[in-house]
Amino acid sequence: MKYETLHGLSIPKIGFGTWKLGGDSYADPKLESVSLTALQTALEVGYTHFDTAEGYAAGHSEELLGRAVRETNTKRENLFITTKVSPEHLQYEQVFTSCESSLRRLNMGYVDLYLIHWPRIGMKLQETFRALNQLVRDGKVRHLGVSNFNLKLLKQAQSFSETPILTDQVPYRLPDKSYVKNGVLEYCQQNDILLTAYSPVKFRNLPVNQTLRAIADAHSATSYQIALAWLVAQPRVITIPMSLDPQHIRENFESADIELTKEEFKVLSELW
Ligand SMILES: NC(=O)c1ccc[n+]([C@@H]2O[C@H](COP(=O)([O-])OP(=O)(O)OC[C@H]3O[C@@H](n4cnc5c(N)ncnc54)[C@H](OP(=O)(O)O)[C@@H]3O)[C@@H](O)[C@H]2O)c1
């Protein structure tokens, strides 16, 4: 595994996403067993960063994550847990309620990183950060961040946060460079902010490009692994693929060790 180090932290370049684990908008009993197995596999493989949210399966993803940690006897202090407050809960009092509920579902005393999941039109960001700053002071949350924030909102968040904004979690993958084009990636790289790339391998609807396949073959890897290695190669970028398939879970973890040549990186960057 490779790591990003900043603000005294060492964060793995590849973490584990949990959207759709345990259900989509609501808990889905049909997904219970496969989701729990996926989380346990991820813990056994060696993932230490887990990304969840109060909005995932109406909180059930958090519950399953907490359960998997308990059942595998994983030490809490060896993990880096990210969760998120939903855009409909950004008022001062609601932030505390949301955080307490997440901690209860996770069965943990604190989260390492707490994000605003989405900005909301008309939100009072300063008021939200008053609550978030208090959560840090109370020890319930170690670090703060945002998600789906454009450059203007990211700078506003920085101005209201008493601690450094650790990340902006945004969509970023080979065929989606919208947060490169809007300047967020460059700003993050210049200001010690992690860009957490979500949906890094949403490739199902795309024909796998021949070039991508050739690079994958050269590394005895899959195209998905190359897509992740391309993100891993970028400074201040980390990513959080999700998978229910034990083999994919392993392959995604191992993709951090793939060393792309400068030429391969350039070719991939210009593919889409
Ligand atoms: N902040 C936000 O607004 C936001 C939005 C979206 C996502 N996220 C976070 O980012 C995480 C990842 O994003 P995502 O779940 O949207 O998309 P993703 O991780 O890019 O894609 C997940 C899909 O890719 C497949 N997959 C994963 N690894 C694979 C591999 N090695 N080979 C083949 N197929 C593979 C999975 O199927 P299998 O199960 O068959 O492997 C699954 O269907 C989420 O779980 C969530 O934690 C955050």
Side-chain angles (χ1 to χ4, degrees), residues 16-21 51-52 56 84 115 117-118 147-148 169-170 173 197-204 222 224-225 228 240-245 247-249 251-252:
F16 193 74
T18 67
W19 185 34
K20 305 251 170 86
L21 262 78
D51 177 81
T52 188
Y56 294 171
K84 316 184 191 82
L115 309 181
H117 201 151
W118 285 89
S147 179
N148 302 297
Q169 184 180 125
V170 299
R173 54 183 175 265
Y198 76 65
S199 304
V201 291
K202 278 266 161 83
F203 277 62
R204 289 241 155 123
T222 70
Y224 294 85
Q225 288 182 299
L228 292 173
I240 46 169
M242 183 291 272
S243 174
L244 291 169
D245 180 321
Q247 188 180 335
H248 295 165
I249 292 170
E251 286 172 358
N252 293 348

Side-chain angles (χ1 to χ4, degrees), residues 58-77:
H60 192 47
S61 299
E62 292 177 326
E63 283 171 346
L64 285 175
L65 176 56
R67 205 175 131 192
V69 170
R70 272 197 314 284
E71 289 180 0
T72 50
N73 290 320
T74 307
K75 283 192 182 143
R76 170 68 183 94
E77 61 269 30

Side-chain angles (χ1 to χ4, degrees), residues 88-136:
E88 60 272 26
H89 297 151
L90 297 183
Q91 286 174 21
Y92 184 79
E93 289 298 340
Q94 292 175 319
V95 175
F96 293 100
T97 310
S98 281
C99 186
E100 278 304 331
S101 302
S102 287
L103 291 175
R104 182 176 38 75
R105 286 188 293 261
L106 286 161
N107 194 28
M108 293 175 186
Y110 66 94
V111 288
D112 297 277
L113 179 57
Y114 202 39
L115 309 181
I116 297 176
H117 201 151
W118 285 89
R120 187 177 187 167
I121 294 166
M123 68 181 174
K124 298 195 173 84
L125 199 56
Q126 190 161 14
E127 180 187 311
T128 306
F129 267 95
R130 230 167 27 89
L132 292 172
N133 290 329
Q134 188 59 46
L135 284 171
V136 175

